[in-house]
Amino acid sequence: AQSVTQLDSQVPVFEEAPVELRCNYSSSVSVYLFWYVQYPNQGLQLLLKYLSGSTLVKGINGFEAEFNKSQTSFHLRKPSVHISDTAEYFCAVSENSGNTPLVFGKGTRLSVIA
Amino acid sequence: DGGITQSPKYLFRKEGQNVTLSCEQNLNHDAMYWYRQDPGQGLRLIYYSQIVNDFQKGDIAEGYSVSREKKESFPLTVTSAQKNPTAFYLCASSSRRTGMYEQYFGPGTRLTVT
């Protein structure tokens, strides 16, 4: 079975500063990895995904993440955040067979301060 | 536009009543999922269905029921046996055929039971 740990429940950061949201996973099989963003009272929107290939994955809104198999990590980064990035961010993992449920971390609340 | 619709956005019920949450998708996806979201808990899987007329229990299926009579629809019934039904419910779908593997989410239904 897979599990996901998001190491920080809340991350405050000043506008235009860089940010890293940390995610570690455990699994006995090969996995796919995802980051989603959720704005208040809305569904989840995919930011980026790792399926295979290059370990550095670029997503929407200037976010990127790096898959590190030896560290079993998939940290999300952005070099300069905006007020509009304030949201909840979820890391998720699934078995690499497709159409299997995602296992989510508990989320990281990113608050961007003006 | 293709997507997932959930209705209603907000739902209020009295304790002891069953309530059904609607989820419809026009993405031609095979698999559909129901998740429950509580503050600080991330998303937890209730039920999922990989094909019409078949579904599997997730981690927190007790007190819930589903049906999958049509590919497009996956309604969730919250029964009176669910001890803590107040939560935000999210429906999702995915398709292995597209080779994309990520799940697409609806806007959610916030259920309040008093």
Side-chain angles (χ1 to χ4, degrees):
Chain A
Q2 298 100 34
S3 68
V4 176
T5 302
Q6 291 185 243
L7 295 154
D8 305 294
S9 60
Q10 296 186 60
V11 173
V13 63
F14 286 104
E15 195 174 15
E16 298 183 8
V19 70
E20 178 179 83
L21 306 183
R22 298 179 293 167
C23 172
N24 286 91
Y25 70 94
S26 67
S27 177
S28 57
V29 299
S30 295
V31 296
Y32 296 144
L33 293 156
F34 306 86
W35 275 99
Y36 283 86
V37 61
Q38 185 182 35
Y39 300 100
N41 289 314
Q42 293 186 25
L44 276 66
Q45 179 184 3
L46 181 70
L47 275 178
L48 48 79
K49 62 188 177 186
Y50 172 79
L51 303 181
S52 64
S54 173
T55 57
L56 183 63
V57 179
K58 293 192 183 298
I60 63 171
N61 300 343
F63 284 94
E64 63 180 34
E66 185 152 20
F67 170 57
N68 187 320
K69 190 173 181 179
S70 62
Q71 307 262 351
T72 61
S73 68
F74 191 54
H75 300 334
L76 181 71
R77 302 186 184 99
K78 186 169 183 178
S80 175
V81 295
H82 304 289
I83 294 289
S84 59
D85 292 323
T86 295
E88 186 116 28
Y89 292 79
F90 292 95
C91 181
V93 63
S94 73
E95 292 183 13
N96 68 348
S97 56
N99 278 358
T100 56
L102 296 178
V103 175
F104 285 85
K106 293 190 175 183
T108 297
R109 173 77 179 164
L110 174 65
S111 298
V112 180
I113 306 159
Chain B
D1 281 339
I4 301 177
T5 56
Q6 292 185 246
S7 59
K9 180 80 171 168
Y10 299 94
L11 193 51
F12 299 88
R13 281 294 183 270
K14 295 288 188 186
E15 198 172 318
Q17 293 179 334
N18 291 355
V19 59
T20 297
L21 281 58
S22 167
C23 177
E24 305 274 334
Q25 55 99 357
N26 61 3
L27 300 167
N28 198 29
H29 285 175
D30 298 308
M32 297 185 74
Y33 313 82
W34 274 105
Y35 294 91
R36 170 182 170 138
Q37 186 178 18
D38 298 282
Q41 296 288 323
L43 278 71
R44 292 181 291 168
L45 181 67
I46 304 173
Y47 270 98
Y48 69 103
S49 167
Q50 294 177 312
I51 196 168
V52 173
N53 291 324
D54 188 41
F55 47 82
Q56 287 78 41
K57 291 182 179 180
D59 302 316
I60 56 166
E62 186 176 346
Y64 299 97
S65 66
V66 293
S67 63
R68 186 91 187 275
E69 296 176 1
K70 298 186 300 181
K71 188 175 186 178
E72 302 79 19
S73 178
F74 191 41
L76 172 75
T77 296
V78 184
T79 75
S80 56
Q82 169 47 234
K83 298 202 185 313
N84 248 340
T86 294
F88 191 51
Y89 291 87
L90 287 158
C91 179
S93 69
S94 68
S95 174
R96 183 172 45 198
R97 286 179 295 164
T98 63
M100 300 179 76
Y101 302 109
E102 66 264 31
Q103 292 180 11
Y104 293 77
F105 283 82
T109 291
R110 186 166 297 280
L111 173 64
T112 303
V113 177
T114 57

